[in-house]
Protein backbone atom coordinates (compact mmCIF):
# COMPACT_ATOMS: atom_id res chain seq x y z
CA UNK A 1 0.00 0.00 0.00
CA UNK A 2 1.47 3.33 -1.11
CA UNK A 3 -0.07 6.76 -1.54
CA UNK A 4 1.86 9.41 -3.41
CA UNK A 5 1.30 13.14 -3.16
CA UNK A 6 3.25 15.88 -4.95
CA UNK A 7 5.92 15.82 -2.22
CA UNK A 8 5.29 12.76 -0.08
CA UNK A 9 4.98 9.02 -0.04
CA UNK A 10 2.72 7.36 2.54
CA UNK A 11 3.43 3.67 2.95
CA UNK A 12 2.77 0.99 5.52
CA UNK A 13 5.35 1.09 8.32
CA UNK A 14 7.77 -1.80 8.59
CA UNK A 15 10.33 -3.04 11.05
CA UNK A 16 13.16 -1.20 9.26
CA UNK A 17 11.43 2.01 10.45
CA UNK A 18 11.89 1.13 14.14
CA UNK A 19 15.13 3.11 14.76
CA UNK A 20 13.75 6.23 13.04
CA UNK A 21 10.41 5.91 14.84
CA UNK A 22 12.13 5.50 18.23
CA UNK A 23 14.11 8.68 17.55
CA UNK A 24 10.99 10.56 16.42
CA UNK A 25 8.78 9.51 19.33
CA UNK A 26 11.53 10.23 21.87
CA UNK A 27 12.26 13.69 20.44
CA UNK A 28 11.33 16.11 23.26
CA UNK A 29 9.45 18.40 20.87
CA UNK A 30 7.32 15.46 19.71
CA UNK A 31 6.99 13.53 22.98
CA UNK A 32 5.65 16.54 24.86
CA UNK A 33 2.42 16.17 22.87
CA UNK A 34 1.94 12.40 22.78
CA UNK A 35 0.96 9.83 25.36
CA UNK A 36 3.88 7.45 24.76
CA UNK A 37 6.34 9.18 27.08
CA UNK A 38 9.90 10.02 26.02
CA UNK A 39 11.84 6.88 26.85
CA UNK A 40 10.51 4.36 24.36
CA UNK A 41 12.81 1.48 23.55
CA UNK A 42 13.20 -0.35 20.26
CA UNK A 43 11.38 -3.45 21.61
CA UNK A 44 8.45 -1.27 22.74
CA UNK A 45 8.21 0.45 19.36
CA UNK A 46 8.56 -2.88 17.59
CA UNK A 47 5.57 -4.17 19.61
CA UNK A 48 3.60 -1.04 18.69
CA UNK A 49 4.38 -1.63 15.02
CA UNK A 50 3.26 -5.25 15.32
CA UNK A 51 -0.13 -4.09 16.63
CA UNK A 52 -0.33 -1.47 13.86
CA UNK A 53 0.47 -4.07 11.20
CA UNK A 54 -2.23 -6.37 12.59
CA UNK A 55 -4.75 -3.49 12.36
CA UNK A 56 -3.76 -2.97 8.72
CA UNK A 57 -3.96 -6.63 7.72
CA UNK A 58 -7.35 -6.86 9.42
CA UNK A 59 -8.51 -3.89 7.30
CA UNK A 60 -8.99 -1.58 10.29
CA UNK A 61 -6.38 1.14 9.74
CA UNK A 62 -2.77 1.00 10.87
CA UNK A 63 0.29 3.21 10.94
CA UNK A 64 1.71 4.68 7.76
CA UNK A 65 5.20 6.09 7.32
CA UNK A 66 5.48 9.57 5.83
CA UNK A 67 8.48 9.92 3.53
CA UNK A 68 9.83 13.15 2.06
CA UNK A 69 12.56 12.89 -0.58
CA UNK A 70 12.94 9.21 0.35
CA UNK A 71 13.48 9.99 4.04
CA UNK A 72 11.26 8.86 6.92
CA UNK A 73 9.92 12.05 8.55
CA UNK A 74 6.88 10.88 10.48
CA UNK A 75 3.84 8.66 10.73
CA UNK A 76 0.10 8.87 10.38
CA UNK A 77 -2.03 6.35 12.21
CA UNK A 78 -5.65 5.26 12.00
CA UNK A 79 -6.64 3.18 14.99
CA UNK A 80 -9.32 2.14 17.50
CA UNK A 81 -12.10 1.70 14.95
CA UNK A 82 -15.42 1.32 16.76
CA UNK A 83 -17.80 -0.87 14.78
CA UNK A 84 -20.83 0.42 16.73
CA UNK A 85 -20.23 4.16 16.32
CA UNK A 86 -18.25 3.83 13.07
CA UNK A 87 -15.55 6.19 14.40
CA UNK A 88 -11.83 5.83 13.80
CA UNK A 89 -9.10 7.73 15.61
CA UNK A 90 -6.25 9.60 13.98
CA UNK A 91 -2.70 10.18 15.17
CA UNK A 92 0.13 11.98 13.42
CA UNK A 93 3.76 12.60 14.32
CA UNK A 94 6.16 14.64 12.24
CA UNK A 95 9.84 15.38 12.85
CA UNK A 96 10.19 19.00 14.05
CA UNK A 97 12.58 19.84 11.21
CA UNK A 98 9.58 19.43 8.88
CA UNK A 99 7.00 21.41 10.85
CA UNK A 100 5.32 24.41 9.21
CA UNK A 101 6.06 23.29 5.65
CA UNK A 102 2.55 22.03 4.87
CA UNK A 103 3.73 18.41 4.83
CA UNK A 104 1.47 17.22 7.66
CA UNK A 105 -1.50 18.81 5.91
CA UNK A 106 -0.54 17.14 2.64
CA UNK A 107 -0.20 13.75 4.35
CA UNK A 108 -3.46 14.10 6.27
CA UNK A 109 -5.40 15.22 3.20
CA UNK A 110 -4.06 12.28 1.22
CA UNK A 111 -5.00 9.85 4.01
CA UNK A 112 -8.51 11.27 4.32
CA UNK A 113 -9.03 11.09 0.56
CA UNK A 114 -7.99 7.43 0.53
CA UNK A 115 -9.62 6.39 3.78
CA UNK A 116 -11.46 3.51 2.11
CA UNK A 117 -8.10 2.05 1.01
CA UNK A 118 -6.39 2.59 4.37
CA UNK A 119 -9.24 1.06 6.38
CA UNK A 120 -11.14 -1.04 3.81
CA UNK A 121 -13.09 -3.13 6.32
CA UNK A 122 -14.36 -0.10 8.22
CA UNK A 123 -17.51 1.81 7.45
CA UNK A 124 -16.13 5.08 8.84
CA UNK A 125 -18.58 7.88 9.56
CA UNK A 126 -16.29 10.06 11.69
CA UNK A 127 -12.56 10.56 12.11
CA UNK A 128 -11.58 11.66 15.62
CA UNK A 129 -8.40 13.50 16.59
CA UNK A 130 -7.41 14.13 20.20
CA UNK A 131 -4.80 16.84 20.63
CA UNK A 132 -3.01 18.22 23.66
CA UNK A 133 -4.39 21.64 24.57
CA UNK A 134 -0.86 23.07 24.18
CA UNK A 135 -0.37 21.63 20.70
CA UNK A 136 -1.75 24.58 18.76
CA UNK A 137 0.08 23.56 15.59
CA UNK A 138 -1.77 20.25 15.39
CA UNK A 139 -5.03 21.97 16.25
CA UNK A 140 -4.50 24.33 13.28
CA UNK A 141 -3.65 21.31 11.11
CA UNK A 142 -6.94 19.59 11.93
CA UNK A 143 -9.01 22.74 11.51
CA UNK A 144 -7.28 23.43 8.18
CA UNK A 145 -8.21 19.93 6.98
CA UNK A 146 -11.89 20.44 7.76
CA UNK A 147 -12.12 19.05 11.30
CA UNK A 148 -14.40 20.76 13.84
CA UNK A 149 -13.45 21.13 17.49
CA UNK A 150 -16.09 19.48 19.67
CA UNK A 151 -14.51 19.85 23.12
CA UNK A 152 -11.39 21.06 24.84
CA UNK A 153 -9.97 20.27 28.25
CA UNK A 154 -6.55 18.75 28.82
CA UNK A 155 -7.16 17.22 25.39
CA UNK A 156 -9.01 18.97 22.61
CA UNK A 157 -11.22 16.66 20.57
CA UNK A 158 -11.77 17.25 16.86
CA UNK A 159 -14.01 15.38 14.46
CA UNK A 160 -14.51 15.14 10.74
CA UNK A 161 -17.62 13.55 9.33
CA UNK A 162 -16.69 11.47 6.30
CA UNK A 163 -19.75 12.84 4.50
CA UNK A 164 -17.72 16.10 4.29
CA UNK A 165 -14.89 14.46 2.37
CA UNK A 166 -14.60 15.05 -1.37
CA UNK A 167 -16.07 12.25 -3.49
Amino acid sequence: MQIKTPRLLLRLVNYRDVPALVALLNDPLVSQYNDYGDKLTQPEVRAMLQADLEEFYEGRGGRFAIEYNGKFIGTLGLYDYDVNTKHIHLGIELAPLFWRLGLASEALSAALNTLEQLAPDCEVSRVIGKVSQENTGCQRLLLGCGFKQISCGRLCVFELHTSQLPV
Side-chain angles (χ1 to χ4, degrees), residues 103-134:
L103 298 172
S105 178
E106 190 171 322
L108 180 52
S109 294
L112 292 171
N113 289 328
T114 57
L115 195 55
E116 289 181 4
Q117 292 175 319
L118 299 180
D121 291 346
C122 301
E123 188 180 324
V124 178
S125 65
R126 273 191 336 165
V127 181
I128 306 291
K130 294 179 181 176
V131 180
S132 167
Q133 185 179 34
E134 294 82 29

Side-chain angles (χ1 to χ4, degrees), residues 54-56 58-62 78-79 81 88 118-122:
E54 288 172 13
E55 290 268 332
F56 177 76
E58 292 170 0
R60 296 181 292 123
L78 297 167
Y79 60 94
Y81 175 69
I88 198 163
L118 299 180
D121 291 346
C122 301

Side-chain angles (χ1 to χ4, degrees), residues 14-108:
N14 61 58
Y15 293 112
R16 289 184 304 271
D17 297 320
V18 168
L21 188 53
V22 168
L24 174 67
L25 295 177
N26 286 328
D27 184 304
L29 294 173
V30 175
S31 68
Q32 69 179 326
Y33 297 127
N34 69 34
D35 55 2
Y36 302 122
D38 62 355
K39 299 193 180 2
L40 287 170
T41 64
Q42 285 202 13
E44 290 170 327
V45 171
R46 192 174 179 80
M48 286 171 43
L49 287 188
Q50 178 62 39
D52 293 333
L53 290 168
E54 288 172 13
E55 290 268 332
F56 177 76
Y57 288 113
E58 292 170 0
R60 296 181 292 123
R63 186 182 302 253
F64 304 90
I66 303 170
E67 287 188 4
Y68 177 67
N69 290 331
K71 179 181 176 163
F72 176 99
I73 64 165
T75 66
L76 185 143
L78 297 167
Y79 60 94
D80 288 346
Y81 175 69
D82 186 317
V83 69
N84 296 316
T85 62
K86 300 187 181 351
H87 302 165
I88 198 163
H89 287 83
L90 164 76
I92 189 165
E93 296 94 14
L94 195 65
L97 182 62
F98 300 95
W99 291 358
R100 296 176 192 70
L101 300 175
L103 298 172
S105 178
E106 190 171 322
L108 180 52

